[in-house]
Amino acid sequence: MAAPTQPRRSRRGGVARADRRTLLWTAASALLITGLASALIVRFGTALFTTRPRPVAEGASTEEAGCAPDRIQSLDSWRLARVEHAPLAPPKKQIWERALGSTAAVQAAIKERLVGWPAQLLVDRADLPRQSSTFARRLARDTWRGLDALTDRDHGLPLDTVTFGDRSVAQPDSHIADYTSTTNIGLHLIDVVAALDLGLIDEDGARDRIRRTLDTLDALETDDGLYFNYYDTTSLERTSRFLSFVDSGWLTAGLMVVRMTFSDLYERCTALIDRTHYQAFYDPGYELMSHGYYVDPRGPSRYHYGVLYTEARLGTLIAIGKGDVPDAVWFEMTRTFPSACRWQSREPRGVHEKSILGHTFTAGYYQWHMLRYVPSWGGSMFEALMPVLLLDEAAVAPNSLGANDRVHAAIQRLFALRDLGLPVWGFSPSTTPGSDQYGEYGVQLLGSHGYPAGPVTPYAAALALAVFPTQALADLRRLAQRYDVYGSYGFYDAVDPRTGRVAYKYLTLDQSMLFLALANHLANHAIQKRFAADPIMQRVTPMLAVEDFFD
């Protein structure tokens, strides 16, 4: 209905419970700090972006300089999310809402703008196919129907979130969040191509959908060609002051897939790609990509994407492949931290300096039982395998990213089934069943910082199709058999396997990841092949073949 109040993926988290006085004090303090920070950014923003010293973590000794989490982490924190994703009220939307007179009327009007709506909350488990490949095709079809249905009919933009009541999809029991992100838009473009690959729509239908979305992109407000992080899907107003590097990368990725699919759209997509200048996100003082920058007041985020094995690696490769930033960014990103970084979840092994293509950096790994791996930040499936939706890392980086992908998926499975004794597996940021909060979940030992285990989210299992298809499909089937988690549009966002409680919510980002993982599995990696054929990736993938994470 209005701008998002929940921060989205990779910078989302939960708010700890507090009493009323604590909340009021926190809010007042945040307002004061935000005001002071805004004034400082206006005056010193440019200087801070290029000359600030490397910070040291609170309580860290001098030997830990360079190990501070506020420098190296992808920073999946609620504090950062509240600053970088503070919503901007859309005035035209507010006038429209007031004219309708009530929240119920607004929600009804938004629902009328959608392509479709689910017929029922749950499907009968007995009606789902028992054979794995047939089940995978049914799941892909149902998930696509949802992605297509929960799209604004006129503007061709996917809505971020739709939440249902515990036992009903009736509109009064539901809530439609009519905003979207640049990541959602980029994945929506790829979803349409994947639906074409799977025979779920024809070529004319795919082209019409993509043109509608491109027309809307042409109408959206930008900052010198760069898109803001969030937009209202009804009024098309921006609802953010922030421009995000990683989200811009996923939009570019979507445009790359489209231009490699439809030759008549090549020039149009290329024009949008060319005007996305990733230099705006590059911090030469750190040789890293910033989280992004603000326009009001204008200034950079103080945080960087400093860990290699996270979802940000795909956007980094795109920025390098475009020629917008030097390839030094790739080698400046941390593989494993030195032992002096005592806050990390495990003691690193094999830490040493190595040189590749003229770049010297620190290498090393973690070990769990006999399995060696380079950690992500949080230990989530999302960080590990979302880039694999587009980049076939097993093919282009078999001794580094490809090998690491397999180990992360294997440990996710072993840890859930063996160590936790759960019947299903797949930990990654998702909705927390029983609340409206989005939580950061993972396997702690897989991350330098490490998120706790929590609910199981089906998209995490689907991401593992790229490396362990038999086990991943078995996990998805088990989720559908054991829990009330499968609706008209496929799986809901998460289930607590200990209680069976389900988060009856469809999130475009999570559903898109699930759908694209299925599409690659069922359509002979067609999406990955298109992405690999794009000139941007052709220029950068040879760099990936050289590295071995474990030599």
Side-chain angles (χ1 to χ4, degrees):
M1 181 172 136
T5 56
Q6 292 298 316
R8 298 291 293 126
R9 168 85 68 225
S10 102
R11 287 169 300 282
R12 289 184 287 195
V15 181
R17 294 185 181 274
D19 61 33
R20 182 174 178 80
R21 286 178 298 176
T22 302
L23 287 172
L24 290 172
W25 172 249
T26 301
S29 300
L31 287 172
L32 176 61
I33 292 169
T34 301
L36 291 171
S38 297
L40 287 170
I41 288 172
V42 169
R43 181 165 176 78
F44 301 117
T46 302
L48 285 170
F49 195 70
T50 56
T51 64
R52 63 186 179 279
R54 294 173 185 260
V56 180
E58 182 179 356
S61 66
T62 53
E63 68 176 326
E64 291 187 74
C67 293
D70 63 345
R71 171 185 173 254
I72 48 76
Q73 67 182 21
S74 294
L75 210 85
D76 304 344
S77 74
W78 175 256
R79 284 185 301 170
L80 176 62
R82 284 197 297 179
V83 175
E84 293 192 347
H85 300 285
L88 178 68
K92 294 179 182 177
K93 177 65 173 301
Q94 291 179 324
I95 293 171
W96 180 76
E97 290 175 338
R98 284 196 295 269
L100 289 171
S102 69
T103 299
V106 169
Q107 286 284 295
I110 295 170
K111 180 175 178 287
E112 288 302 310
R113 297 182 61 90
L114 299 178
V115 173
W117 190 257
Q120 55 191 7
L121 185 74
L122 296 170
V123 301
D124 189 334
R125 298 181 198 174
D127 292 339
L128 294 173
R130 295 185 179 276
Q131 202 274 333
S132 291
S133 61
T134 309
F135 174 76
R137 291 195 173 275
R138 165 70 183 270
L139 176 57
R141 186 198 72 186
D142 290 344
T143 306
W144 162 250
R145 287 174 57 240
L147 288 166
D148 193 40
L150 303 179
T151 299
D152 186 284
R153 182 185 295 105
D154 296 333
H155 297 147
L157 295 181
L159 277 67
D160 187 85
T161 311
V162 177
T163 306
F164 304 102
D166 283 347
R167 291 296 164 188
S168 171
V169 295
Q171 198 264 309
D173 298 327
S174 307
H175 179 76
I176 308 167
D178 62 329
Y179 62 87
T180 198
S181 70
T182 41
T183 291
N184 287 345
I185 298 170
L187 293 182
H188 174 74
L189 293 171
I190 309 172
D191 290 340
V192 174
V193 174
L196 174 64
D197 288 337
L198 293 173
L200 300 173
I201 55 176
D202 61 22
E203 189 168 321
D204 288 341
R207 189 177 279 105
D208 287 345
R209 287 171 172 83
I210 288 171
R211 282 176 174 159
R212 187 176 301 114
T213 303
L214 294 179
D215 288 345
T216 297
L217 283 172
D218 287 341
L220 295 178
E221 179 186 355
T222 67
D223 184 63
D224 194 26
L226 292 170
Y227 287 94
F228 289 89
N229 215 27
Y230 290 106
Y231 293 89
D232 188 288
T233 57
T234 301
S235 68
L236 300 186
E237 296 166 282
R238 67 175 173 97
T239 56
S240 173
R241 299 176 175 87
F242 190 70
L243 293 93
S244 161
F245 161 63
V246 73
D247 292 283
S248 297
W250 286 105
L251 177 57
T252 297
L255 293 166
M256 291 163 62
V257 170
V258 170
R259 76 175 179 179
M260 299 309 295
T261 306
F262 300 102
S263 58
D264 57 321
L265 296 174
Y266 190 94
E267 293 302 324
R268 188 173 184 184
C269 291
T270 299
L272 291 172
I273 292 170
D274 288 348
R275 78 181 198 187
T276 304
H277 302 298
Y278 285 97
Q279 299 97 322
F281 303 111
Y282 175 60
D283 184 342
Y286 285 80
E287 293 187 292
L288 290 172
M289 304 306 290
S290 166
H291 271 212
Y293 68 92
Y294 311 91
V295 296
D296 183 23
R298 183 168 290 274
S301 167
R302 60 177 293 206
Y303 300 103
H304 299 83
Y305 285 103
V307 176
L308 177 72
Y309 198 65
T310 71
E311 75 281 3
R313 66 186 182 267
L314 191 79
T316 301
L317 289 172
I318 290 172
I320 295 170
K322 280 186 82 256
D324 290 352
V325 304
D327 58 7
V329 176
W330 185 257
F331 298 99
E332 182 65 20
M333 296 172 79
T334 299
R335 275 71 175 160
T336 304
F337 298 105
S339 298
C341 299
R342 293 190 297 270
W343 50 264
Q344 58 189 311
S345 67
R346 299 184 76 76
E347 178 72 18
R349 302 190 182 194
V351 178
H352 65 286
E353 282 199 346
K354 67 193 303 185
S355 295
I356 293 178
L357 302 176
H359 301 281
T360 301
F361 57 94
T362 300
Y365 55 86
Y366 286 1
Q367 185 164 330
W368 185 65
H369 298 294
M370 299 301 292
L371 297 171
R372 298 186 300 171
Y373 57 96
V374 166
S376 63
W377 176 250
S380 67
M381 199 76 88
F382 158 76
E383 297 166 283
L385 296 181
M386 185 180 180
V388 183
L389 295 173
L390 295 179
L391 182 64
D392 186 350
E393 293 180 338
V396 300
N399 298 317
S400 56
L401 296 172
N404 219 47
D405 296 338
R406 291 181 61 83
V407 175
H408 272 251
I411 292 177
Q412 278 258 353
R413 181 173 178 271
L414 288 171
F415 185 79
L417 301 183
R418 188 180 67 187
D419 288 36
L420 298 183
L422 299 176
V424 290
W425 52 277
F427 299 121
S428 207
S430 68
T431 308
T432 304
S435 79
D436 196 38
Q437 297 297 320
Y438 204 96
E440 292 162 329
Y441 303 111
V443 175
Q444 188 173 25
L445 62 90
L446 284 173
S448 298
H449 170 66
Y451 302 144
V456 166
T457 180
Y459 83 79
L463 287 174
L465 285 166
V467 290
F468 295 121
T470 300
Q471 296 91 330
L473 272 176
D475 193 34
L476 290 167
R477 280 285 300 125
R478 196 173 299 114
L479 281 163
Q481 289 170 341
R482 294 181 68 101
Y483 307 105
D484 288 334
V485 69
Y486 198 107
S488 291
Y489 295 155
F491 282 112
Y492 291 105
D493 198 51
V495 59
D496 184 338
R498 302 161 187 83
T499 65
R501 193 161 192 176
V502 173
Y504 290 109
K505 180 179 289 191
Y506 288 126
L507 289 90
T508 287
L509 174 60
D510 297 354
Q511 295 298 98
S512 290
M513 286 191 283
L514 192 154
F515 177 62
L516 294 177
L518 285 164
N520 274 318
H521 174 71
L522 294 169
N524 194 26
H525 305 276
I527 294 297
Q528 290 176 324
K529 290 176 180 177
R530 288 190 176 91
F531 189 71
D534 189 274
I536 291 173
M537 296 313 296
Q538 289 284 301
R539 287 191 289 268
V540 76
T541 47
M543 176 182 74
L544 303 180
V546 183
E547 187 172 359
D548 186 329
F549 278 171
F550 310 106
D551 62 2

